[in-house]
Amino acid sequence: MEKRLLELKEQYEVGQRNHDKKSNSLSRIRILLFLLFLILVLFYSSHPSTYIIILLWILAIAFCFVVIVHSHIDKERRKYEAYITIIEKYEERKNGNWKSVEEDGMEMDDTSLLDLGVFGKNSLFQYLNFTSSLGGYNRLRETLTLKEVSQDSILDNQKSIEEIKNNLEFILFFQEKLTHVKNIHKIDFKETFPLFDAKEKSKKVETIISILFSLATIISFILTCLQILSPLYFGGFFFFQLAASHIYTVLYKEEYDSLAKCVRAFNGLYDTYQYIDNIDFHSKKNKSLQEDIQRGKDNIRKLNKISNLNVYRFNFITNILFNVFFSLNFIVLYKYTELLGKESESLKKSLYALEEFEVLVSLTTVGLVKEEVTFPVINTNVSLDLENMKHPLLEESACIPNNFRCSQDIQIITGSNMSGKTSFMKTIGINLVLAYSGTYVNAKSFSCSIMKIFTSINVKDDISNGISTFYGELQRIKNALDFSKNRKLPMIVFIDEIFKGTNYNDRILGAKEVLKKLSKLPCIVFLTTHDFELCEINDKKIHNYHFEETYKKNKISFDYRIKKGQCTTTNAKYLMKQVGIID
């Protein structure tokens, strides 16, 4: 784990302890001042004195001062607590204690991402997720679905993520700022976009007319006070303005409700925007996002000013006075519709930028908590070249690294049960998802091409739709073959125990046909099997690899390292003995 992150935690813990002490001391001082104030009040009731009044004022001022200082100390203390909590979440991922008991609620058409553990229970998504807003959460999910992957997008993300990773204070402060936005986990800011797209007609004409009547009202009021004009004129303007403003709010109720929704949604974002605007970014993507944030910040400030004016509408006295003399209702709606009419796109872009920053911060997770990480090299040849590759969701110290290199070939992997065949494929697949997302992979070096990922791993039957396990496997493999007909993008295909859902003869026949078709396509294939007949296929594009076990004092052990060649051992009989199936 980043040494600097641990140093910051120690620093914040010291700060938290110091602020706890200060807070406790100030709490006692507040109580003492309050008690002294009460005692002096009681004493003054029986012994009135100017000196006591002066002392009471001094105590009251001192109490208010202590309250303000105490509030500031508590605010700083809560910041330290938030920073420590965030760092502890990274520590949990480092130590393997992060696992969630909940599903992430993903409904996926792409079963490959479920097979590899990108989504689902204890998934890569849950491991990476440090988003706060609902929009950021959804955008991270979208990023990991790999719907839009290109070499340029990968390289842009790599530069952006590297810059963010090297600025730990930004990672912590950014996340802490978002915690202050009320109900941010429940707000999807995109729900406000229809308000922007309404393109309400400008209220300029009505506002100008109303302001002219306000000026007439003010003039009539002054002339009435100077006894130049009869009070009836002022009264007429007064009630006309009051009635007009009320009718206006009724006619444009939806627009006023829209203003309230926008204010509720954006309330609290200004501080976060301002913080991002003050960071010195250098990468192209981060600077572009920052520019969008800066424009959004300016418009949120304008929206807040309109909101501050709008507050006066909800007080009986100010509602009357401000509408009669200053056309408050007209001006508020005019400024609001003008802002949305001119700046709706910049507000939208700023929200996308905020959510993208949340995604980028989340994607730094592997780089922050793993000791051995690298950015993948993306090449144009269909190939893989992996050194010291590990599974990013496992505790690193307990993870066995593997090296592997291949080109446009088929890898048949044999080995005993529990020897690591499926885990090896998932390790490659999940690191590829990280690579295509533009972030760090858990390896010493990692070179790959951009390939569409297909899997046939956790295939289950679907009784409700009349689909057997075997038919489910057929569908998965057919999807890959169909994709190759219509797309130029190469594939990487992971097949676990091919056609295990059918009988031996059909399994061998079907597997050979699949391998024959896949060998003609621009793809890399990893296929695990217990059927050694598949290892004997005479094709220069097919290569055999295996995992093996060893026995010592009647105990089985695995080294989980992939080796060239066909497996020559099995452990099924041993395992059946262990559980008491056979003697």
Side-chain angles (χ1 to χ4, degrees):
M1 189 171 180
E2 282 280 335
K3 183 180 178 182
R4 175 63 179 149
L5 203 58
L6 298 176
E7 290 174 351
L8 285 175
K9 184 183 179 184
E10 292 177 2
Q11 177 184 323
Y12 296 144
E13 286 175 338
V14 171
Q16 183 188 16
R17 287 194 294 269
N18 290 337
H19 280 71
D20 280 338
K21 291 177 183 177
K22 292 178 182 178
S23 180
N24 293 334
S25 298
L26 289 171
S27 294
R28 289 191 287 269
I29 293 172
R30 285 175 61 175
I31 294 171
L32 180 61
L33 289 172
F34 182 71
L35 291 174
L36 286 173
F37 186 86
L38 289 179
I39 291 170
L40 279 177
V41 168
L42 293 173
F43 187 77
Y44 179 81
S45 62
S46 57
H47 301 84
S49 168
T50 303
Y51 295 108
I52 295 177
I53 292 176
I54 294 172
L55 284 173
L56 285 172
W57 273 106
I58 292 172
L59 285 172
I61 293 170
F63 181 82
C64 292
F65 176 76
V66 171
V67 167
I68 293 170
V69 174
H70 194 193
S71 175
H72 175 73
I73 294 294
D74 271 354
K75 184 178 179 181
E76 290 298 308
R77 180 177 58 81
R78 286 193 295 271
K79 279 186 180 180
Y80 286 126
E81 287 178 352
Y83 299 149
I84 292 168
T85 299
I86 294 166
I87 294 173
E88 285 175 346
K89 289 180 180 178
Y90 285 112
E91 286 182 317
E92 288 173 354
R93 283 154 174 78
K94 167 72 175 177
N95 301 326
N97 299 322
W98 62 276
K99 295 182 179 178
S100 173
V101 295
E102 299 179 356
E103 296 282 350
D104 55 29
M106 279 296 293
E107 293 184 4
M108 293 295 302
D109 293 328
D110 190 345
T111 53
S112 298
L113 299 174
L114 293 173
D115 279 352
L116 297 174
V118 178
F119 298 105
K121 187 176 179 180
N122 300 327
S123 63
L124 177 67
F125 170 75
Q126 292 172 327
Y127 183 87
L128 297 176
N129 183 29
F130 276 85
T131 63
S132 294
S133 72
L134 185 58
Y137 179 94
N138 290 331
R139 182 173 276 237
L140 177 60
R141 294 195 313 185
E142 186 72 14
T143 299
L144 294 177
T145 59
L146 308 177
K147 290 183 179 177
E148 296 181 7
V149 177
S150 68
Q151 188 164 3
D152 288 341
S153 68
I154 292 171
L155 294 177
D156 284 345
N157 266 15
Q158 287 181 358
K159 292 175 183 177
S160 174
I161 289 168
E162 183 178 27
E163 184 176 38
I164 290 173
K165 175 183 172 288
N166 292 331
N167 190 344
L168 295 176
E169 284 82 359
F170 170 75
I171 292 173
L172 297 175
F173 294 179
F174 173 69
Q175 293 185 58
E176 189 273 334
K177 291 284 184 187
L178 288 176
T179 62
H180 298 296
V181 182
K182 188 176 181 181
N183 294 325
I184 190 167
H185 291 286
K186 300 178 182 178
I187 296 173
D188 186 350
F189 294 107
K190 293 186 209 47
E191 291 179 359
T192 62
F193 288 1
L195 306 178
F196 302 159
D197 296 333
K199 303 295 182 186
E200 294 294 337
K201 182 181 177 182
S202 173
K203 307 297 186 294
K204 188 174 183 178
V205 175
E206 299 98 312
T207 304
I208 291 173
I209 293 172
S210 178
I211 290 173
L212 291 175
F213 272 97
S214 290
L215 289 173
T217 305
I218 293 171
I219 292 169
S220 67
F221 175 72
I222 294 171
L223 294 177
T224 299
C225 291
L226 296 173
Q227 296 183 345
I228 296 174
L229 203 65
S230 168
L232 291 175
Y233 288 97
F234 169 67
F237 281 117
F238 182 95
F239 286 109
F240 175 81
Q241 279 287 84
L242 204 61
S245 65
H246 176 71
I247 293 170
Y248 198 69
T249 56
V250 172
L251 290 175
Y252 295 103
K253 183 178 181 302
E254 288 186 6
E255 284 83 348
Y256 284 108
D257 289 342
S258 169
L259 169 60
K261 288 178 182 178
C262 275
V263 170
R264 282 196 300 271
F266 288 93
N267 187 31
L269 283 183
Y270 183 79
D271 286 344
T272 306
Y273 276 28
Q274 188 172 35
Y275 174 70
I276 295 173
D277 190 35
N278 291 328
I279 301 297
D280 187 21
F281 287 119
H282 299 285
S283 73
K284 178 182 175 182
K285 181 170 184 175
N286 287 343
K287 285 182 72 68
S288 176
L289 294 173
Q290 187 181 42
E291 289 171 2
D292 290 339
I293 289 287
Q294 194 275 328
R295 286 189 287 269
K297 182 194 76 171
D298 294 341
N299 289 309
I300 288 177
R301 182 171 59 235
K302 294 175 185 177
L303 184 63
N304 285 339
K305 286 181 179 179
I306 298 170
S307 173
N308 292 337
L309 281 176
N310 194 48
V311 169
Y312 293 114
R313 294 179 50 243
F314 301 100
N315 179 282
F316 180 75
I317 302 299
T318 56
N319 188 325
I320 293 175
L321 294 177
F322 279 60
N323 274 301
V324 168
F325 293 106
F326 304 106
S327 301
L328 175 66
N329 289 354
F330 292 86
I331 290 174
V332 164
L333 198 57
Y334 167 70
K335 285 184 171 294
Y336 176 62
T337 53
E338 285 292 296
L339 177 65
L340 292 193
K342 294 177 180 178
E343 306 295 346
S344 62
E345 285 305 312
S346 67
L347 281 168
K348 288 181 183 179
K349 286 182 179 179
S350 75
L351 290 174
Y352 281 125
L354 178 68
E355 292 170 1
E356 189 64 18
F357 269 122
E358 287 191 88
V359 171
L360 293 171
V361 167
S362 293
L363 290 176
T364 63
T365 303
V366 171
L368 284 174
V369 305
K370 299 296 184 182
E371 299 294 335
E372 194 163 48
V373 294
T374 187
F375 280 125
V377 175
I378 307 298
N379 52 51
T380 55
N381 297 324
V382 182
S383 62
L384 282 176
D385 191 348
L386 322 169
E387 183 180 2
N388 275 18
M389 177 191 62
K390 303 172 186 174
H391 198 296
L393 303 188
L394 300 178
E395 185 180 350
E396 195 167 16
S397 61
C399 195
I400 306 299
N402 266 295
N403 302 331
F404 198 82
R405 178 182 294 178
C406 68
S407 55
Q408 194 170 311
D409 297 320
I410 295 173
Q411 283 60 237
I412 295 181
I413 305 173
T414 51
S416 302
N417 299 291
M418 304 189 303
S419 61
K421 303 186 299 298
T422 307
S423 296
F424 176 73
M425 292 197 302
K426 288 184 177 181
T427 301
I428 295 175
I430 207 165
N431 275 294
L432 281 174
V433 172
L434 290 170
Y436 298 156
S437 300
T439 188
Y440 294 92
V441 294
N442 196 184
K444 184 177 181 180
S445 67
F446 196 100
S447 175
C448 65
S449 51
I450 297 176
M451 301 171 282
K452 174 66 175 176
I453 301 173
F454 287 95
T455 66
S456 177
I457 299 178
N458 298 320
V459 184
K460 298 178 181 178
D461 60 4
D462 185 353
I463 298 175
S464 60
N465 291 312
I467 297 175
S468 67
T469 301
F470 175 61
Y471 190 74
E473 290 180 276
L474 290 175
Q475 286 184 320
R476 299 280 192 96
I477 294 171
K478 182 178 183 298
N479 289 339
L481 295 174
D482 288 346
F483 177 87
S484 66
K485 296 176 183 176
N486 306 315
R487 308 291 179 90
K488 294 181 179 180
L489 188 69
M491 303 181 296
I492 183 166
V493 184
F494 300 99
I495 304 174
D496 189 33
E497 297 188 20
I498 187 168
F499 297 148
K500 56 184 173 292
T502 191
N503 67 77
Y504 173 80
N505 290 330
D506 288 343
R507 179 166 66 247
I508 298 299
L509 175 64
K512 287 182 177 180
E513 287 299 315
V514 168
L515 293 175
K516 182 179 177 181
K517 290 181 181 295
L518 289 174
S519 67
K520 299 176 182 177
L521 301 176
C523 65
I524 295 175
V525 179
F526 288 88
L527 182 147
T528 71
T529 183
H530 290 287
D531 297 320
F532 292 161
E533 287 86 346
L534 298 181
C535 302
E536 298 169 0
I537 298 175
N538 186 18
D539 189 322
K540 64 180 181 179
K541 296 194 69 175
I542 296 178
H543 307 280
N544 288 305
Y545 295 90
H546 72 280
F547 288 87
E548 63 185 15
E549 78 281 2
T550 57
Y551 298 88
K552 190 174 182 179
K553 295 182 180 180
N554 203 33
K555 287 189 177 180
I556 191 172
S557 63
F558 304 95
D559 63 9
Y560 302 110
R561 293 189 184 275
I562 193 164
K563 302 173 181 65
K564 288 185 177 181
Q566 176 185 335
C567 174
T568 58
T569 62
T570 62
N571 66 0
K573 186 175 179 181
Y574 171 86
L575 293 175
M576 286 189 283
K577 281 184 177 181
Q578 288 294 105
V579 299
I581 300 295
I582 62 176
D583 297 328

